[in-house]
């Protein structure tokens, strides 16, 4: 089976789940070509082979109107007038999508790429729209599958209207989402139930040793959060909960792994709260380094929130990884987090409730005798629901269900 992956940026530290799908499929003998609009920043542990992709544009583009004019000029010599006309309706409603499609013509043509595939798999809704545009232009051929991840079910519809994906829903062969929460949002936007599949993001359990924490015999309790430093992750509320623990006399250290727009603001907040001596920001780390941090911690804190533009954690792969290691969890009851957290694997708290977070952390820290049972509950849940090999089997089954019988088989 010949498969094309279409992504916005590749590779990126925060989207290793896309790499894992690609490498998992290649490991099963499938032919996989990766088309990326822009160059990402590879994780430190990523091999050159795993980073291999065809870049259609290379660098992030300016505003949509300017992009469209530049794209039109660069593409006219490479596309026939009929293809340009087929893209005009998209340009009226989705100027950036059409502009990127026009620019991508040059990347596809110069690489001698494109052609017929058994399946074209796009990650994120807007990239699925791009996939349809490229099919309209005759550059990528094959049934389209689009995977939604969360922000594309919140911010994009808010910006472009509730029917923004109507064209995609009409043209896709299959859609996948990572949780019931995301499924509900996709259905509310008009996703056809008969092509919508719930397929969580999994983890390779062989690469994540089960190592429940032991209570500290001396020294502090070590808390850990991992994620992009953006509002949706709620790290500000984690900092304030840690301040409350410090005020109660709890000996605690808080490590925050990740990078993002709020990095400096959160560092400043830790100083203003008077807890900068107990908080350590590591920046982004590779998965092996994240697992090491988990193995050196006692509790995992995931204080996510729903933002003003309706962003919320739809699954939280890092929550799966923390449970796989065996960390007890304290997390917000928001988005898809409750269904990702296994029964008995931790405590849920209402989002933005600093006192509730601090109380929950205090309770779990005070029940060290129960940590091993909590750890086993989390690991069992991950083995049952989030095993990457099983989920890859399900993805291949979806592929086979929609594969173009006239495509090129490998």
């Amino acid at each position: 089976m010949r498969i094309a992956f279409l992504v916005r940026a590749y590779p990126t530290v925060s989207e290793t789940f896309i790499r894992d799908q690609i490498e998992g499929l290649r490991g099963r003998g499938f032919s996989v070509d990766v088309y990326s609009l822009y160059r990402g920043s590879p994780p430190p542990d990523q091999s050159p082979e795993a980073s291999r992709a065809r870049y259609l544009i290379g660098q992030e583009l300016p505003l949509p109107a300017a992009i469209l004019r530049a794209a039109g000029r660069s593409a006219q010599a490479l596309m026939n007038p009929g293809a340009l006309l087929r893209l005009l309706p998209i340009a009226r409603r989705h100027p950036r999508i059409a502009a990127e499609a026009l620019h991508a013509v040059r990347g596809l043509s110069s690489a001698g790429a494109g052609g017929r595939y058994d399946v074209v798999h796009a990650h994120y809704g807007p990239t699925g729209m791009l996939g349809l545009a490229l099919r309209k232009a005759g550059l990528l051929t094959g049934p389209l599958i689009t995977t939604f991840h969360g922000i594309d079910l919140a911010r994009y519809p808010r910006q472009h209207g509730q029917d923004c994906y109507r064209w995609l829903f009409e043209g896709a062969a299959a859609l996948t989402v990572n949780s019931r929460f995301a499924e509900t949002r996709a259905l509310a936007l008009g996703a056809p139930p008969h092509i919508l599949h719930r397929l969580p993001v999994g983890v390779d359990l062989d690469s994540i040793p089960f190592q429940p924490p032991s209570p500290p015999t001396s020294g502090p309790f070590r808390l850990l959060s991992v994620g992009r430093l953006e509002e949706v992750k709620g790290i500000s509320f984690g900092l304030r909960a840690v301040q409350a623990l410090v005020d109660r006399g709890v000996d605690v250290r808080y490590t925050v792994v990740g990078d993002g727009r709020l990095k400096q603001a959160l560092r400043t907040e830790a100083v203003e709260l008077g807890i900068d001596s107990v908080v350590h920001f590591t920046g982004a780390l590779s998965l092996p380094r994240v697992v090491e941090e988990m193995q050196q911690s006692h509790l995992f804190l995931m204080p996510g929130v729903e933002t003003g533009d309706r962003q919320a954690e739809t699954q939280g792969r890092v929550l799966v990884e923390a449970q796989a290691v065996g960390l007890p969890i304290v997390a917000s009851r928001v988005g898809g987090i409750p269904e990702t957290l296994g029964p008995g694997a931790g405590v849920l708290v209402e989002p933005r409730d600093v006192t509730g977070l601090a109380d929950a952390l205090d309770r779990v820290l005070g029940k060290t005798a129960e940590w091993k049972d909590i750890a086993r509950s989390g690991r069992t849940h991950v083995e049952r629901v989030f095993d990457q090999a099983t989920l890859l089997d399900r993805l291949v089954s979806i592929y086979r269900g929609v594969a173009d019988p006239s495509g090129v088989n490998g």
Side-chain angles (χ1 to χ4, degrees), residues 97-108:
I97 298 295
E100 289 175 335
L102 288 167
H103 264 292
V105 172
R106 191 163 194 168
L108 283 165

Side-chain angles (χ1 to χ4, degrees), residues 67-145:
I67 302 170
L68 190 56
R69 287 195 296 271
R73 288 196 298 271
S74 65
Q76 283 173 2
L78 296 168
M79 294 178 62
N80 61 57
L84 287 170
L85 287 173
R86 288 193 292 272
L87 289 173
L88 284 178
I90 308 168
R92 283 194 285 268
R93 182 64 189 274
H94 303 283
R96 188 178 188 96
I97 298 295
E100 289 175 335
L102 288 167
H103 264 292
V105 172
R106 191 163 194 168
L108 283 165
S109 300
S110 63
R116 179 174 294 280
Y117 289 90
D118 295 290
V119 172
V120 177
H121 187 169
H123 276 270
Y124 292 95
T127 311
M129 300 281 282
L130 173 66
L132 280 185
L134 293 175
R135 288 179 61 196
K136 286 275 188 183
L139 294 165
L140 286 176
T141 304
L144 178 69
I145 292 177

Side-chain angles (χ1 to χ4, degrees), residues 66-323:
I67 302 170
L68 190 56
R69 287 195 296 271
R73 288 196 298 271
S74 65
Q76 283 173 2
L78 296 168
M79 294 178 62
N80 61 57
L84 287 170
L85 287 173
R86 288 193 292 272
L87 289 173
L88 284 178
I90 308 168
R92 283 194 285 268
R93 182 64 189 274
H94 303 283
R96 188 178 188 96
I97 298 295
E100 289 175 335
L102 288 167
H103 264 292
V105 172
R106 191 163 194 168
L108 283 165
S109 300
S110 63
R116 179 174 294 280
Y117 289 90
D118 295 290
V119 172
V120 177
H121 187 169
H123 276 270
Y124 292 95
T127 311
M129 300 281 282
L130 173 66
L132 280 185
L134 293 175
R135 288 179 61 196
K136 286 275 188 183
L139 294 165
L140 286 176
T141 304
L144 178 69
I145 292 177
T146 298
T147 292
F148 289 89
H149 290 283
I151 189 172
D152 45 2
L153 295 171
R155 180 183 294 174
Y156 195 80
R158 189 177 180 88
Q159 293 172 338
H160 299 279
Q162 288 294 105
D163 66 341
C164 62
Y165 290 128
R166 182 174 61 182
W167 185 57
L168 175 60
F169 292 157
E170 291 171 353
L175 309 167
T176 76
V177 291
N178 55 18
S179 65
R180 287 190 298 273
F181 174 78
E183 181 179 41
T184 299
R185 284 196 162 180
L187 290 170
L189 292 172
H194 67 283
I195 65 169
L196 186 60
H197 304 264
R198 195 188 313 152
L199 186 71
V201 173
V203 296
D204 177 8
L205 288 166
D206 292 336
S207 69
I208 304 180
F210 179 53
Q211 185 178 309
S214 299
T217 54
S218 63
F221 288 101
R222 296 186 296 274
L223 308 182
L224 176 68
S225 291
V226 180
R228 290 176 293 108
L229 301 186
E230 306 287 347
E231 181 187 0
V232 69
K233 301 299 182 180
I235 299 300
S236 175
F237 296 95
L239 292 174
R240 283 177 262 175
V242 168
Q243 180 198 36
L245 290 179
V246 171
D247 290 345
R248 298 176 189 183
V250 179
D251 188 8
V252 61
R253 298 293 182 272
Y254 184 32
T255 298
V256 179
V257 175
D259 206 346
R261 291 176 298 176
L262 297 183
K263 176 173 64 175
Q264 189 53 51
L266 291 168
R267 288 177 181 272
T268 300
E269 184 173 7
V271 173
E272 293 173 347
L273 293 171
I275 58 171
D276 53 303
S277 63
V278 304
V279 179
H280 176 49
F281 293 90
T282 70
L285 298 176
S286 66
L287 177 57
R289 287 285 293 110
V290 169
V291 172
E292 286 179 15
E293 290 288 344
M294 289 178 174
Q295 292 173 328
Q296 295 167 13
S297 301
H298 297 113
L299 268 71
F300 190 82
L301 175 59
M302 194 168 191
V305 299
E306 182 169 332
T307 66
D309 60 0
R310 299 188 69 234
Q311 288 186 66
E313 197 76 60
T314 53
Q315 179 192 326
R317 170 169 158 157
V318 70
L319 189 59
V320 178
E321 293 162 352
Q323 290 177 94

Side-chain angles (χ1 to χ4, degrees), residues 381-403:
H381 179 63
V382 172
E383 291 170 348
R384 187 177 68 251
V385 181
F386 297 108
D387 176 56
Q388 184 169 279
T390 301
L391 294 172
L392 198 59
D393 287 341
R394 288 170 54 187
L395 178 62
V396 170
S397 178
I398 294 170
Y399 285 170
R400 295 196 187 283
V402 303

Side-chain angles (χ1 to χ4, degrees), residues 16-33:
T16 54
F17 49 85
I18 297 177
R19 176 197 66 180
D20 290 347
Q21 278 189 350
I22 291 167
E23 293 307 298
L25 290 165
R26 286 174 175 164
R28 295 181 180 211
F30 293 99
S31 171
V32 182
D33 292 334

